[in-house]
Structure formats: C-alpha cells, structure tokens
Amino acid sequence: EDKVVQSPLSLVVHEGDTVTLNCSYEVTNFRSLLWYKQEKKAPTFLFMLTSSGIEKKSGRLSSILDKKELSSILNITATQTGDSAIYLCAVGGGSNYKLTFGKGTLLTVNP
Amino acid sequence: ETGVTQTPRHLVMGMTNKKSLKCEQHLGHNAMYWYKQSAKKPLELMFVYNFKEQTENNSVPSRFSPECPNSSHLFLHLHTLQPEDSALYLCASSPYKLQGPLTYEQYFGPGTRLTVT
C-alpha cells in the first residue's frame, strides 16, 4: 500500500523564522511529488517535483526532492502570519493519476 | 466563474435524507475526483473519472453514489449516511492525456462541509 508520511504534524513559529517541512514516501512506480497549501478549505497547488535534486522556488517557498532518500522538504523563509496553514504533501505513482496524500503539517506563525 | 466550484458549501442532513453534492470545473480538464477529508486523517480518494468514465472506486460504501454526466460536472449522491460520514468533501480536476507524459497536478474546489445528524 502506498504511504506518505509528513513531519512534524504541527509547528508553531514566530514571524521571521525559517521552517522546514518534511515528507517521506513509499510508493510503487513513483512519478511526481506535489506540495499543497490548505488555509480554510481548498488546497492550493504550490509545487510539483519529478526530478531529484532540482529545487523549485516561488518567492520565500522552495522545495527539493531526494529520490534516493524517498523524501522531499519544503522550506519557508522569513515566515509571515499569512503562511499559517496546513501544508499537504502528495505523491503520484503508477499508470493512473491517483495521488496519495500525507496527513499534513499544521504551521502556525505567530506575530 | 473560474476554477473548480462546489455547491452547497455546507450541508446538514439526517441519516434518512437523500442529498447531492455538485462540482463544476471551468478549466477544460478531463479528469475529476472526489476526496473525503476527516479530522487528523489524510485526504482519502473516493472516486476518479477520466473522460466521464469511472476509473477508480476506492472501496467506497454504496451509500455514496457518484455521477459524471460530462467532463465538467461531477455529482456525489448521498443516501442513508452515518454520523461518521461527516467530513469535508473535496472535488478536484486535472488534465488527462491519453498519450504523452502524465501530469498529477490537481486543482481543488472549496469543498462541502457535511454534517450527518
């Protein structure tokens, strides 16, 4: 059975801190790893990673995939209160479009 | 309207009621999904439709009945639900190609918060 594990499950930081969220996976026929941000309702897409070692970056957020270690990290620098959300990691594998999600990391950024 | 929309946003129903959730995507995608999100659990995939054909039923109880009349619309018909079915139900869509590289990027709607009393 495919499995995605995120850590930590929750994290509280102060504005300006840098955080690193972790995602590890066991998936047959790995194809892609995706990060989503979920604030109130709809998860919104952040990054999709398919190749190991290539960093995807968008502003203060960046992510790297390590296919050898079967893991990925999501970094957020200079955190702001608006970064408070649940960050979801999902992995796609096999010949269909099915995604397996982790439980998410609840990030709280205090002023 | 753009993106993926879902109605209603909130629904309270008794165990003997029948109701339907609606999802519509305006992105030109060909794949649509229903997910269930319960507290402290990962998103659980329920159903997948590609080009209106159901390609995945993730052992979902028959009290949940999906319908996909076309690539833009997806319904989830509910009947005789249990209190443990209370959750956030999310719809998503993605591009689907019959040939070429797969893409796993899914776009989510705002969800329907369902409470079964």
Side-chain angles (χ1 to χ4, degrees):
Chain A
E1 188 179 325
D2 295 343
K3 198 165 132 182
V4 176
V5 177
Q6 291 185 246
S7 64
L9 289 181
S10 66
L11 187 56
V12 180
V13 301
H14 290 290
E15 263 191 321
D17 288 351
T18 292
V19 298
T20 298
L21 310 183
N22 302 285
C23 176
S24 63
Y25 59 88
E26 294 174 25
V27 173
T28 52
N29 297 322
F30 171 88
R31 299 293 178 92
S32 299
L33 186 143
L34 293 86
W35 285 97
Y36 285 86
K37 178 183 181 183
Q38 186 174 23
E39 293 180 79
K40 296 262 172 88
K41 293 282 177 72
T44 51
F45 172 78
L46 294 174
F47 300 114
M48 183 168 70
L49 303 152
T50 55
S51 300
S52 199
I54 294 177
E55 183 179 15
K56 288 271 180 107
K57 203 170 163 97
S58 175
R60 297 177 293 103
L61 277 68
S62 63
S63 182
I64 296 179
L65 173 66
D66 186 338
K67 285 171 85 170
K68 189 177 170 187
E69 295 297 325
L70 305 183
S71 65
S72 173
I73 59 170
L74 176 68
N75 278 323
I76 309 175
T77 58
T79 51
Q80 302 170 357
T81 55
D83 295 325
S84 296
I86 297 173
Y87 290 84
L88 298 169
C89 174
V91 176
S95 58
N96 60 30
Y97 290 82
K98 188 174 165 180
L99 286 178
T100 301
F101 280 83
K103 287 185 180 180
T105 294
L106 173 61
L107 174 65
T108 303
V109 181
N110 289 326
Chain B
E1 217 167 335
T2 58
V4 182
T5 58
Q6 289 187 244
T7 55
R9 297 291 300 275
H10 299 272
L11 178 62
V12 178
M13 59 186 286
M15 289 192 284
T16 57
N17 291 157
K18 285 186 183 182
K19 295 285 183 186
S20 296
L21 310 184
K22 180 182 174 184
C23 174
E24 185 172 358
Q25 59 95 1
H26 309 268
L27 300 168
H29 292 163
N30 292 309
M32 296 187 79
Y33 312 79
W34 279 118
Y35 287 89
K36 176 183 179 183
Q37 189 174 34
S38 307
K40 299 186 181 178
K41 282 188 174 183
L43 262 78
E44 298 171 54
L45 179 66
M46 300 174 73
F47 301 103
V48 181
Y49 278 82
N50 294 319
F51 291 101
K52 303 187 298 177
E53 298 298 320
Q54 189 182 120
T55 56
E56 182 94 17
N57 176 337
N58 208 22
S59 303
V60 180
S62 59
R63 56 187 184 268
F64 295 92
S65 173
E67 180 191 358
C68 188
N70 55 59
S71 293
S72 299
H73 293 86
L74 186 64
F75 295 90
L76 188 63
H77 304 300
L78 316 170
H79 63 98
T80 58
L81 293 191
Q82 305 297 310
E84 60 265 27
D85 297 322
S86 299
L88 181 67
Y89 288 85
L90 290 162
C91 172
S93 72
S94 71
Y96 180 83
K97 301 177 191 177
L98 293 173
Q99 294 179 347
L102 299 178
T103 176
Y104 288 85
E105 197 173 319
Q106 293 181 15
Y107 295 83
F108 286 83
T112 295
R113 173 67 64 186
L114 174 67
T115 304
V116 181
T117 60

